[in-house]
Amino acid sequence: MNEVLANGLTMHVEELWPPDERSRPQGTAVLIHGIAPDNLASWYLTLAYPLAQSGMRVLLYDLRGHGRSEQSAHGYRFPQLLDDLDALMTHWDVSEPVYLMGNSFGGALAFGYAARYPERVAGVVAIEAEVPTPGYFSRLSRVADGLTVVSDHGRAAVRRPTGLVHAPRVLALVTETSIREELPAGPPPAADRLAAIDCPVLCLYGGESSVRLRSPAIRRLLPQTRTIVFAGQRHTLLTDHHHEVGECVLGWLAQLRGSGFRDQDGYSTAGTRDA
């Protein structure tokens, strides 16, 4: 396991390089996972290797309190999580603008980092994610309130909107840290900083996910956004249909590299195979 000290915390990180070590990487991708039972494995087992095979340097990490990163009692407010990412950027010695790719809450972090450091971000890929506006944190508060511990046939479990989770690390995150209080507290990035994000943006949604309902607001805020909706799919789009998601992401990156692509009106629906 790869561990580094970043922002005063021991963080679990992984790094993948293109198979041809003689060639210069065609960009750097930083992959950010969602909250509660998620960790870097959702990216590592889906898009991390295809991105590396395409010629990119790929960087992943477990958010504080998640996966194998240190589970601090406090430090889960949005700006502190951005500080963690910034400290890792320093550790990784990233010298050029990166492609930030976030799943669910990880997408909000990607937008937040692009708002804070626009010169460091070449593009954002947000899968089932929202821009971190005040309205987003209001909705996140309801999600946090739903993270309660219940008994399931004699075993402790975390109740989430999508079901029960029995993982000990998730139980500890909910019961032994301040994440439920701190995470919804934000504060969000300034509205003008979010609106000033000018890098290319790709948003992918499941057609049956409620998060998709936020896509028009994102396109109004960031008109350069290209949106792709996967018919019949839900919030678990990344893990359930990673081959199709990977094709969309790699195709988008190829267009950016080849023609300076910036789609002002891109909105499409992708039919995916049933799992």
Side-chain angles (χ1 to χ4, degrees), residues 15-262:
E15 183 170 357
L16 302 176
W17 288 82
D20 186 355
E21 298 180 356
R22 296 168 299 177
S23 63
R24 179 181 176 85
Q26 298 179 35
T28 298
V30 179
L31 312 184
I32 314 170
H33 66 78
I35 57 171
D38 205 2
N39 57 57
L40 67 75
S42 61
W43 282 108
Y44 194 84
L45 299 175
T46 57
L47 264 65
Y49 276 91
L51 287 166
Q53 290 287 331
S54 77
M56 301 190 78
R57 180 189 182 195
V58 181
L59 308 172
L60 311 89
Y61 72 106
D62 281 329
L63 298 176
R64 67 165 62 210
H66 293 70
R68 297 181 176 180
S69 286
E70 184 179 340
Q71 199 163 80
S72 59
H74 304 285
Y76 298 92
R77 291 169 70 90
F78 195 76
Q80 292 169 301
L81 297 176
L82 292 179
D83 292 342
D84 291 346
L85 175 56
D86 190 40
L88 287 172
M89 292 290 196
T90 299
H91 162 75
W92 283 317
D93 193 25
V94 175
S95 59
E96 76 283 344
V98 302
Y99 293 93
L100 294 178
M101 304 188 184
N103 182 45
S104 192
F105 179 75
L109 285 174
F111 283 121
Y113 195 86
R116 183 190 281 191
Y117 303 112
E119 73 283 358
R120 301 183 189 178
V121 180
V124 171
V125 175
I127 301 174
E128 276 290 301
E130 298 185 47
V131 173
T133 62
Y136 170 73
F137 284 97
S138 295
R139 290 185 288 277
L140 195 60
S141 179
R142 293 192 291 273
V143 172
D145 289 343
L147 295 176
T148 56
V149 178
V150 298
S151 177
D152 179 42
H153 297 91
R155 291 191 300 163
V158 175
R159 175 184 285 143
R160 302 176 67 243
T162 55
L164 299 180
V165 180
H166 295 91
R169 285 282 287 176
V170 180
L171 287 167
L173 180 67
V174 172
T175 60
E176 300 174 14
T177 78
S178 60
I179 189 170
R180 284 188 292 174
E181 294 76 32
E182 289 192 85
L183 200 61
D192 60 335
R193 298 299 296 269
L194 288 172
I197 294 174
D198 64 355
C199 66
V201 176
L202 174 66
C203 288
L204 285 72
Y205 300 100
E208 300 302 315
S209 169
S210 62
V211 181
R212 180 182 63 84
L213 301 177
R214 316 295 173 198
S215 61
I218 294 178
R219 288 182 56 78
R220 287 193 296 271
L221 181 69
L222 304 174
Q224 74 271 27
T225 300
R226 180 175 185 182
T227 303
I228 301 176
V229 177
F230 290 75
Q233 303 311 311
R234 300 184 181 277
H235 192 60
T236 51
L237 176 63
L238 172 62
T239 53
D240 289 351
H241 289 278
H242 60 274
H243 292 298
E244 294 86 346
V245 169
E247 289 175 359
C248 290
V249 172
L250 292 173
W252 180 77
L253 289 169
Q255 286 180 303
L256 290 181
R257 294 171 185 154
S259 62
F261 174 78
R262 183 179 296 252

